[in-house]
Amino acid sequence: MIVSSAFAGKRFAVLGLARSGQASVEALLAGGAEVTVWDSREEPRAAYEGRCQIADPLAMDLTGFAGVVVSPGVPLNRHPIAAHAASFSVPVIGDIELFAQARADLPPHRVVGITGTNGKSTTTMLVHHICHAAGLDARLGGNIGLPILGQEPLPAGGVYVLELSSYQIDLTQNLDCDVAALINLSPDHLDRYDGFAGYASAKARLFQMQDPRNHAVFGCGDEHTLAIAREASARHDVGFVHVVQPDALEGQGAWPSLQGPHNLQNAAIAVEIAQHLGIAEAVWRPALASFVGLPHRMERVAEANGVLFVNDSKATNAASTAPALGAYPRIHWILGGLPKSDNLDECAPYFGNVVAAYTIGEAGPLFADILDPLMPVTRSEMMCDAVRQAMDAAQPGDVVMLSPACASFDQFRDFEARGDSFRQIVEALIEDRDTPCPPGIGQ
């Protein structure tokens, strides 16, 4: 784990003992801190009997505490811990802030912080992949993978690559990223903020924490991101703010897992970050081609009889489905689930790429009515039927794509279960198209 003398002799409360909370407790204890822990569940509390004080910080006098560490999932705009800690002038922080405080005791290293509404995970994984291709020691952390405090510290010259949600940035005060990136910005998580402006301000804080001599990288796809880029330009030294133009990056056809306009933007930002880390084109270009991508995000799950099958189950709204439809010229589109809106307007620019649509789930009838005048539509209702019908209709060179533009909760536990179901059905039907749909996976 990451251990620092910065915690020695200080008092912290940790509220919530899931993965990041547990990692925070262990790092604080190893660093010599006095720790009070609390969780609404008895079992995780019991694990710290004899090692920590066990008490609810909401019921405590927090005078003298160095911080209350909470999970990013705690809604600070509604949870009483924020006001309670403030009444004692105690900051409410997260594990990323503890990492920031521990950095002085780590071997010389660099930190990359990546945020945005969409594309964070892909871009973070891609930067990590490029670092390894360059022979750099690198660790993933933040909103992806294992809690950063629970991982072994890197040797000198290493790079910590952090995906950062707005919630994590809210809980961080001192993270000075050597390279920070904002991919894009659109309304999201508005239940946690005072409107879109509050959400945008949370993202902007990543750059406000930077030393002016460190690099800031921005996408160019929306005015909100460009506005934050202009603000950063006013604070950073000349030449240290870069707005990336994705069209200048050529060769996307050679990167199988990075298709679509959104992935061109992700790749362009990753390349800009890599170049700031000193990684040459002779390294990053082949790394783009060898990148495998993340499960459920434009994931190539199979190819049979010249037809490619793509799992984009992570696309839970029309805005995230739209660029997926722009990735291929002939798509058999499986969509539907629990709708988040009553239209598919954001997908409309790419309808010309859709050979046929297959609607499933609660949104199926609504989406079928929208698309019927524009393209052939099959009202499939169930995932297995949709995959079989698309497979029967697809010709060599076509793509069968699950990109639902909906949440999954009408038929599946989560988008991962939905994507796993799609993959299993595809594999079973490729093996034998005449077999009945496998039981329990999207009949």
Side-chain angles (χ1 to χ4, degrees), residues 316-407:
T316 58
N317 56 53
S320 52
T321 285
L325 297 181
Y328 300 99
R330 289 182 54 83
I331 296 172
H332 294 261
W333 179 23
I334 300 172
L335 74 157
L338 188 66
K340 291 186 174 181
S341 72
D342 60 0
N343 65 74
L344 294 167
D345 293 352
E346 287 150 309
C347 299
Y350 302 104
F351 283 165
N353 289 357
V354 180
V355 176
Y358 308 81
T359 59
I360 62 174
E362 184 177 315
L366 168 66
F367 287 174
D369 289 343
I370 292 171
L371 297 175
D372 256 333
L374 305 169
M375 63 187 69
V377 176
T378 300
R379 298 172 186 247
S380 305
E381 296 188 9
M382 296 296 182
M383 175 83 77
C384 188
D385 293 327
V387 174
R388 187 193 299 278
Q389 291 155 355
M391 185 181 290
D392 288 343
Q395 302 296 314
D398 290 356
V399 173
V400 174
M401 178 188 292
L402 169 68
S403 192
C406 282

Side-chain angles (χ1 to χ4, degrees), residues 35-319:
V35 184
T36 299
V37 300
W38 186 254
D39 192 284
S40 59
R41 300 163 298 155
E42 182 177 354
E43 184 178 351
R45 297 198 306 261
Y48 292 99
E49 290 280 1
R51 302 178 66 207
C52 302
Q53 179 184 3
I54 299 176
D56 186 347
L58 278 171
M60 293 176 60
D61 182 332
L62 297 175
T63 301
F65 274 68
V68 177
V69 183
V70 302
S71 159
V74 173
L76 296 184
N77 61 332
R78 300 192 303 273
H79 198 287
I81 191 60
H84 183 65
S87 71
F88 294 94
S89 299
V90 174
V92 177
I93 60 176
D95 65 322
I96 301 300
E97 173 60 21
L98 294 179
F99 168 74
Q101 295 179 20
R103 289 183 65 188
D105 284 344
L106 296 176
H109 63 277
R110 288 173 289 180
V111 171
V112 174
I114 298 169
T115 193
T117 303
N118 296 305
K120 296 187 297 296
S121 296
T122 295
T123 306
T124 302
M125 287 287 290
L126 182 55
V127 170
H128 183 258
H129 175 71
I130 293 171
C131 286
H132 276 292
L136 296 174
D137 289 307
R139 290 272 191 277
L140 278 174
N143 202 43
I144 191 170
L146 300 173
I148 194 65
L149 289 175
Q151 301 187 54
E152 288 301 306
L154 291 168
V159 180
Y160 295 91
V161 186
L162 306 179
E163 177 189 333
L164 299 171
S165 69
S166 59
Y167 302 163
Q168 289 168 314
I169 298 170
D170 287 339
L171 298 170
T172 305
Q173 301 173 348
N174 296 288
L175 184 67
D176 178 11
C177 294
D178 297 86
V179 188
L182 174 61
I183 303 167
N184 50 44
L185 202 55
S186 59
D188 202 9
H189 304 306
L190 299 188
D191 59 321
R192 291 276 292 259
Y193 296 98
D194 183 16
F196 179 64
Y199 172 64
S201 294
K203 298 290 192 181
R205 286 194 58 254
L206 182 61
F207 305 94
Q208 295 163 7
M209 289 186 283
Q210 277 190 294
D211 184 287
R213 295 162 294 181
N214 284 338
H215 292 282
V217 178
F218 296 88
C220 67
D222 62 271
E223 179 53 38
H224 309 296
T225 298
L226 294 175
I228 295 175
R230 289 191 290 271
E231 293 172 8
S233 294
R235 290 188 302 271
H236 283 62
D237 290 353
V238 174
F240 283 77
V241 174
H242 302 264
V243 176
V244 173
Q245 303 295 328
D247 292 344
L249 184 61
E250 299 178 347
Q252 188 180 19
W255 316 329
S257 294
L258 292 167
Q259 296 302 294
H262 58 322
N263 277 326
L264 182 60
Q265 174 81 93
N266 296 339
I269 288 176
V271 166
E272 187 73 26
I273 292 170
Q275 291 179 154
H276 288 313
L277 296 174
I279 299 172
E281 181 174 357
V283 174
W284 61 251
R285 187 166 290 281
L288 297 178
S290 62
F291 180 64
V292 174
L294 284 76
H296 314 296
R297 295 168 175 85
M298 296 294 286
E299 177 190 11
R300 299 161 65 98
V301 300
E303 189 166 357
N305 302 314
V307 177
L308 176 64
F309 295 84
V310 175
N311 167 23
D312 193 41
S313 182
K314 182 65 167 65
T316 58
N317 56 53

